[in-house]
Amino acid sequence: MYDNRDPLVTVHFLMSINQNKDAKIVLDVMKKYCKTIPQIDSLGKLYSEIKDYESCVELAKMALQLTGKTDEQITIKTNIIRSLINLNRPLDALAYIEDIPENHANLMDKSMCYFLLNRKNEAEEILHRMLREQISEDNQNRIKFNLRSEEHTS
């Protein structure tokens, strides 16, 4: 038996038995009482696990209002971008991408948005430009995989 006095334990238990709708009900109640960034972050991760990206965006926007730290804002905006991509809202994601410093992860997200918008040439241009830079082997492999995937779907 599990300890049903802790709502997070209840959520994890429900998720473990594939009861995501019930887990969402508990999370929605908990969301009303989130007041700090760590609380919001914890709930956001759980919403992400059950693929409720709308709630992830909502929580991240709450967190943005609570922080004044630039590094936290960038992390929060990146979480919003990823949720928006999962929601197939690339135009909304691009608006946030333009608002944060350019880095490899950001460029990969931007490329994904362009692919989702059927702007293949712009997406591939970003990926080819990244390949010309000094990037990790892992990132190189991801980029090459994305480029190969596009060749087969064109």
Side-chain angles (χ1 to χ4, degrees):
M1 193 66 183
Y2 73 99
D3 180 359
N4 64 355
R5 294 170 291 173
D6 182 348
L8 288 178
V9 172
T10 301
V11 169
H12 284 287
F13 171 74
L14 290 168
M15 290 167 55
S16 74
I17 60 171
N18 292 320
Q19 297 299 314
N20 290 348
K21 287 182 181 178
D22 292 333
K24 180 178 171 20
I25 292 168
V26 176
L27 290 172
D28 287 346
V29 170
M30 294 172 67
K31 181 171 46 174
K32 296 175 187 176
Y33 301 98
C34 280
K35 302 289 183 224
T36 68
I37 291 177
Q39 291 171 337
I40 291 169
D41 186 53
S42 293
L43 282 190
K45 288 176 183 172
L46 292 170
Y47 274 117
S48 181
E49 286 183 42
I50 63 171
K51 299 184 182 349
D52 181 353
Y53 300 111
E54 287 291 348
S55 293
C56 292
V57 171
E58 180 185 345
L59 283 169
K61 287 179 178 179
M62 286 172 48
L64 269 179
Q65 293 176 351
L66 294 175
T67 187
K69 298 179 183 174
T70 303
D71 58 331
E72 282 183 353
Q73 289 175 343
I74 292 169
T75 301
I76 293 166
K77 287 177 183 180
T78 300
N79 291 337
I80 292 172
I81 291 163
R82 304 270 165 79
S83 293
L84 291 169
I85 289 171
N86 278 304
L87 289 166
N88 197 19
R89 291 172 41 197
L91 288 174
D92 295 332
L94 281 170
Y96 282 94
I97 289 170
E98 300 304 327
D99 196 34
I100 61 175
E102 192 173 276
N103 59 41
H104 290 130
N106 179 335
L107 289 171
M108 291 291 284
D109 290 338
K110 190 174 192 175
S111 175
M112 175 59 71
C113 289
Y114 286 144
F115 278 124
L116 290 171
L117 291 167
N118 204 23
R119 292 164 56 182
K120 180 182 171 193
N121 291 342
E122 291 167 272
E124 288 181 346
E125 155 113 19
I126 291 168
L127 296 177
H128 284 296
R129 185 179 58 177
M130 288 177 68
L131 280 174
R132 290 189 296 270
E133 297 175 3
Q134 291 273 347
I135 58 173
S136 70
E137 184 176 342
D138 183 50
N139 279 340
Q140 287 180 12
N141 290 335
R142 288 178 189 186
I143 291 168
K144 289 175 183 176
F145 175 81
N146 286 337
L147 288 170
R148 277 193 305 273
S149 297
E150 277 304 306
E151 289 172 4
H152 298 293
T153 58
S154 299

